[in-house]
Amino acid sequence: MITKTILELERIFDLLNKEFFEDKLIKPIIIVQRKVHKNTLGTCSNDAVWLNKENEEQDKKYEITLSAEYLNRTIEEIVATLLHEMIHLYCSQNKIQDTSNNCVYHNKKFKEEAEKRGLIIEKEKTIGWSITKLHDNTKKLILKFKIDDSVFNYYRNTIKIITPKIILNKYECPDCGQKVSHYKELNLICGTCKKPLTKIE
């Protein structure tokens, strides 16, 4: 299932590369995985982190990751995220410093390069010029791509299941009858009677 998603993302990458980058971006390894940080829609590696073991020096690849939790968005939003990461890839390839603060804060160079290539960029206080939408012309363009929506049906559910602690041990005060339960085995003293509690089997 997810293989088809990645294949479609690679096809969209190729079309965007041809349209906005003169087909000069080095094709990256595209991955869909659990988000690395809260609210992260996608990332692009700063360096070519993938190597070909038969030709390590010549065949190096960057990595673009889309967060699996956000594949339930519209196609326009997914494409906006992919194109956003492609801007980072372009900046990395061309030695343009587009972020600071450990790659979190997007500067005006990022905004400038992104808005040359079909995106609308807005500023947010903590992450800078990072809020990304497709320009109306880009929305029209991707309609021509005939993107297969069906391959984006699956997304990762992040609901955390909390397993309740099993209460195994019960204790009772021999004088006042006060009872306590706990999942650990403990040596307890009654706060009222100052007597050790007896474990109830």
Side-chain angles (χ1 to χ4, degrees):
M1 290 175 282
I2 202 68
T3 304
K4 290 181 179 179
T5 307
I6 291 169
L7 287 171
E8 187 67 354
L9 288 169
E10 289 178 348
R11 189 180 75 85
I12 297 165
F13 176 95
D14 290 341
L15 292 165
L16 293 172
N17 192 11
K18 186 174 182 179
E19 185 68 32
F20 293 115
F21 302 92
E22 299 176 338
D23 218 13
K24 291 181 179 177
L25 287 184
I26 299 168
K27 190 161 186 175
I29 302 295
I30 297 179
I31 292 175
V32 173
Q33 71 175 22
R34 182 178 181 178
K35 62 185 176 185
V36 180
H37 303 291
K38 185 180 179 183
N39 300 327
T40 302
L41 303 177
T43 59
C44 180
S45 64
N46 294 324
D47 301 302
V49 293
W50 286 81
L51 305 177
N52 183 334
K53 63 184 179 182
E54 295 178 358
N55 191 0
E56 288 187 3
E57 290 305 313
Q58 298 299 318
D59 190 8
K60 299 179 180 181
K61 303 284 185 186
Y62 286 80
E63 178 181 291
I64 286 179
T65 303
L66 294 190
S67 296
E69 292 84 351
Y70 295 111
L71 288 181
N72 60 342
R73 297 177 299 147
T74 66
I75 290 298
E76 287 182 1
E77 290 169 318
I78 292 169
V79 171
T81 299
L82 178 60
L83 186 51
H84 177 118
E85 301 311 328
M86 290 172 72
I87 304 300
H88 286 307
L89 177 57
Y90 173 84
C91 290
S92 291
Q93 281 186 213
N94 292 278
K95 311 298 182 198
I96 298 168
Q97 185 69 43
D98 63 341
T99 60
S100 58
N101 190 22
N102 199 25
C103 302
V104 173
Y105 192 87
H106 294 56
N107 61 31
K108 286 186 177 179
K109 288 181 182 177
F110 177 82
K111 173 182 166 67
E112 181 183 338
E113 296 299 338
E115 290 187 340
K116 286 179 188 174
R117 296 173 175 85
L119 294 177
I120 297 170
I121 304 294
E122 296 175 4
K123 191 176 186 181
E124 197 276 335
K125 184 169 69 173
T126 58
I127 56 176
W129 297 99
S130 183
I131 308 302
T132 305
K133 296 177 185 174
L134 293 182
H135 190 281
D136 285 344
N137 290 338
T138 313
K139 291 178 184 178
K140 292 174 185 174
L141 173 69
I142 67 169
L143 289 175
K144 297 177 183 176
F145 292 177
K146 299 189 184 308
I147 296 170
D148 183 359
D149 294 18
S150 68
V151 301
F152 296 97
N153 282 346
Y154 282 89
Y155 67 98
R156 191 177 193 279
N157 184 0
T158 56
I159 296 172
K160 187 176 180 181
I161 299 170
I162 299 171
T163 305
K165 292 176 179 174
I166 300 169
I167 297 172
L168 299 174
N169 302 291
K170 296 181 180 180
Y171 303 89
E172 184 176 14
C173 175
D175 285 0
C176 69
Q178 184 169 297
K179 294 179 180 178
V180 176
S181 299
H182 201 275
Y183 71 99
K184 286 185 177 179
E185 192 165 341
L186 302 169
N187 292 318
L188 301 172
I189 296 174
C190 177
T192 305
C193 305
K194 309 300 181 196
K195 295 277 182 80
L197 300 189
T198 304
K199 186 175 179 182
I200 304 169
E201 297 297 336

